[in-house]
Amino acid sequence: MREAKTRKRATKSENTRARGRVNLWQWAFLILIGLMLGTGLWLGHSVLTPVAQSYSTQDTTTGDPAMTVSLTKRQANEIISYYLNDFQKGSNVKYSLTLADQAVLGGSFKFFGQKVGFSLLFDPLVLKNGNVELKARRLNVGSLPVPILYVMSYAASNYKLPNWVRMNSKQKTVVLDLNKFKMANGMQLKATKIDLPNSQIDFSVYLPKK
């Protein structure tokens, strides 16, 4: 009789420990799921929220241009490559801008912890004030179903951009605000024509104000 009671108490104790272990694993699983969901929501909010950038549209060029400059795509690509290589010194995140039949922004972004390369294709448009607007049209990123908004928001948040370049992920545009760009000698530029299929890129050059 005493042995039966002892076995009964031992069985009850083992069942209690087993339930404790089950409950512990259940709580651990629920906490893990909560962390994954919370991280996913935070990442989605951080990346997909359009980045607001302040800028000025004031035109600082006046009078007639001192000269006009015409470039081919090859010449323009050499200048862009030289500028970006110098501008991105010391930066861990690199990107490129190449002119083909469209303007191509190349780089990489992180998607669920994986580094993914991309090419974002833009159509250029010369604005009335001489600035250039790039309108995103297509994203090449393999077979991943990644929206343009995601990539542009990531680039705006993580890429080192010149202060005369503003990216609007919501409108899928990048504006080259040449009104704010000055060369080392103080001269400024205005775009007058961009015809990439025919390799024609024209600028007006203005002398600095005295």
Side-chain angles (χ1 to χ4, degrees), residues 117 168 175 195:
N168 189 319
V175 174
D195 183 359

Side-chain angles (χ1 to χ4, degrees), residues 143-162:
S143 59
L144 290 175
V146 182
I148 291 176
L149 173 62
Y150 182 101
V151 175
M152 291 193 65
S153 294
Y154 183 93
S157 300
N158 295 275
Y159 285 4
K160 180 184 177 183
L161 300 174

Side-chain angles (χ1 to χ4, degrees), residues 48-137:
L48 294 179
T49 300
V51 176
Q53 298 181 354
S54 60
Y55 61 91
S56 171
T57 58
Q58 182 179 0
D59 188 352
T60 58
T61 58
T62 57
D64 295 327
M67 58 180 157
T68 58
V69 176
S70 294
L71 301 173
T72 64
K73 285 187 291 189
R74 181 184 62 80
Q75 292 170 327
N77 282 330
E78 289 177 354
I79 295 172
I80 293 170
S81 178
Y82 178 86
Y83 177 84
L84 287 180
N85 286 338
D86 183 68
F87 179 76
Q88 295 182 89
K89 284 181 180 177
S91 175
N92 294 325
V93 182
K94 307 290 185 181
Y95 60 91
S96 64
L97 180 65
T98 307
L99 303 182
D101 284 347
Q102 292 178 300
V104 183
L105 176 67
S108 62
F109 63 95
K110 288 188 177 180
F111 190 69
F112 288 102
Q114 299 296 319
K115 190 175 182 180
V116 181
F118 72 89
S119 295
L120 190 55
L121 280 64
F122 295 86
D123 289 332
L125 173 67
V126 176
L127 304 178
K128 291 182 179 180
N129 60 1
N131 292 338
V132 178
E133 181 183 84
L134 305 177
K135 179 70 174 180
R137 296 300 184 190

